[in-house]
Amino acid sequence: MYTSEKAPAKINLTLDALRKRPDGYHDLEMVMTTVDLYDRIDLTSIDGTSIQLDSSSGLVPQDERNLAYLAARILREKTGVRKGVHIRIEKNIPVAAGLAGGSSDAAATLRGLNRLWKLGLSLEELAQIGAEIGSDVPFCVYSNTAIARGRGEVLEPIPAPPKCWVVLAKPSQGISTADVFGRLRVDQIEQHPSTSHMVDALKKQDLKAVIGSMGNVLEPVTMAMHKEVSRLKEKMHLFGASGVLMSGSGPTVFGIVPKESRAKRIVNSLKGFCEQVYAVRMLGVHRSSLLD
Ligand code: ATP
């Protein structure tokens, strides 16, 4: 038996840090959505009880350290299932990029195995299990548009952005999320994005207001570490993207563009400066059957 799932990349339309908690993590408030750049997870039943994994990319672990492997293991522990599975990850989302690729692979593995093993779990139940893997995993289980609070695991669904295109550019160097948060000083944040302005803009389906409400408090922190982030932002603006922001802890920079033709022109112009550039549709809603 076999099934397949799409694991879309997430972007942050906003990312705010409210305070540092006694446990060392930050309380966050983020508006997250998805774009049509995805990994593909193929799940095949195998004899025995082992979990096997391989990936098209040498940049991700091919063993139990892979978040998709961890998802399969935790799902088996929670449900008592003792079936074997082969997980194949076709990796398209840049790694260590601020696009939650690993979390989305884990979430897609949970959704796919729920179907393959006929577990009958709801998305809510899968999200709860996902929270044990990582704080972005619950969001990725839904892969919709949501306000994420706490460490990112407390979710409130909101309307998806209006139709538009997103240009993504990933500087060559990856980044450690822990490193970026380690350097963040909440009391020195100069400008907090407004979650309520962003939510209003999404409710009104007003793309200009969405662009005007974008903000990420981690951007100056990552920029101080990686010059390429500000260089790419400038170039994206120059080539005609309307709203340009770093996603998550970076270093990927994305720009919002209303029309496909302009998005593709921007990609061509950026290619000389950056190897990993993409023009993709904004998604924002989870398409339940993931192989269209
Ligand atoms: P986030 O936005 O959630 O911080 P990210 O996009 O910055 O995530 P990922 O691409 O998810 O980062 O990868 C971070 C690290 O997780 C990688 O360095 C990699 O070693 C590890 N990892 C484990 N499983 C995966 C996977 N399936 N895909 C990508 N990375 C994985």
Side-chain angles (χ1 to χ4, degrees):
M1 277 196 308
Y2 160 85
T3 193
S4 192
E5 279 280 320
K6 278 181 176 179
K10 74 96 222 247
I11 55 171
N12 290 84
L13 296 177
T14 65
L15 190 159
D16 196 12
L18 307 179
R19 65 185 184 104
K20 192 164 183 186
R21 314 191 314 193
D23 64 7
Y25 289 101
H26 288 84
D27 266 328
L28 304 175
E29 193 167 83
M30 310 182 276
V31 173
M32 312 214 280
T33 190
T34 54
V35 295
D36 199 12
L37 169 68
Y38 54 87
D39 295 342
R40 179 182 158 141
I41 312 291
D42 291 319
L43 301 165
T44 311
S45 299
I46 53 172
D47 289 340
T49 57
S50 67
I51 300 169
Q52 300 172 2
L53 182 141
D54 71 79
S55 168
S56 61
S57 164
L59 298 175
V60 300
Q62 312 266 332
D63 52 23
E64 67 283 351
R65 289 167 302 164
N66 195 296
L67 295 182
Y69 185 106
L70 194 59
R73 208 189 68 207
I74 291 183
L75 189 64
R76 287 207 315 194
E77 281 165 15
K78 295 277 170 195
T79 58
V81 167
R82 288 190 46 78
K83 294 177 178 163
V85 67
H86 180 93
I87 305 169
R88 161 85 187 165
I89 304 177
E90 186 191 299
K91 197 85 199 144
N92 302 307
I93 303 172
V95 177
L99 300 171
S103 303
S104 195
D105 292 353
T109 302
L110 292 176
R111 289 194 305 265
L113 289 178
N114 188 38
R115 197 163 57 239
L116 191 71
W117 291 341
K118 298 188 172 55
L119 300 173
L121 298 172
S122 64
L123 288 182
E124 288 71 20
E125 288 168 313
L126 293 178
Q128 235 169 42
I129 295 170
E132 294 185 26
I133 303 165
S135 38
D136 279 348
V137 179
F139 169 79
C140 294
V141 165
Y142 298 102
S143 283
N144 55 358
T145 305
I147 306 172
R149 297 191 173 89
R151 285 173 57 190
E153 77 286 12
V154 184
L155 298 170
E156 182 185 330
I158 53 173
K163 278 191 180 148
C164 62
W165 283 75
V166 182
V167 175
L168 299 151
K170 152 83 175 39
S172 48
Q173 241 180 323
I175 210 144
S176 146
T177 303
D179 214 8
V180 175
F181 275 108
R183 290 164 197 246
L184 177 69
R185 297 286 166 270
V186 175
D187 53 354
Q188 287 170 20
I189 292 173
E190 283 180 10
Q191 211 176 357
H192 291 272
S194 162
T195 306
S196 62
H197 285 173
M198 179 57 79
V199 172
D200 280 349
L202 292 170
K203 281 187 180 154
K204 291 184 184 134
Q205 293 290 286
D206 180 344
L207 190 60
K208 266 201 181 142
V210 167
I211 289 167
S213 310
M214 284 165 42
N216 179 347
V217 299
L218 297 179
E219 198 178 67
V221 181
T222 305
M223 273 181 176
M225 298 158 72
H226 291 282
K227 292 274 172 297
E228 230 182 315
V229 174
S230 31
R231 224 168 53 96
L232 272 177
K233 270 197 83 171
E234 275 165 29
K235 293 260 184 275
M236 250 202 227
H237 273 301
L238 189 72
F239 296 143
S242 319
V244 183
L245 192 72
M246 189 185 80
S247 183
S249 53
T252 302
V253 168
F254 69 92
I256 307 270
V257 186
K259 291 228 168 75
E260 179 179 8
S261 51
R262 184 186 288 186
K264 299 219 156 132
R265 271 208 313 276
I266 296 174
V267 165
N268 283 333
S269 309
L270 282 171
K271 269 186 182 149
F273 306 97
C274 181
E275 242 171 68
Q276 289 177 284
V277 280
Y278 313 84
V280 293
R281 277 176 219 277
M282 184 74 90
L283 222 51
V285 284
H286 178 60
R287 299 215 207 102
S288 64
S289 190
L290 299 125
L291 269 194
D292 44 329

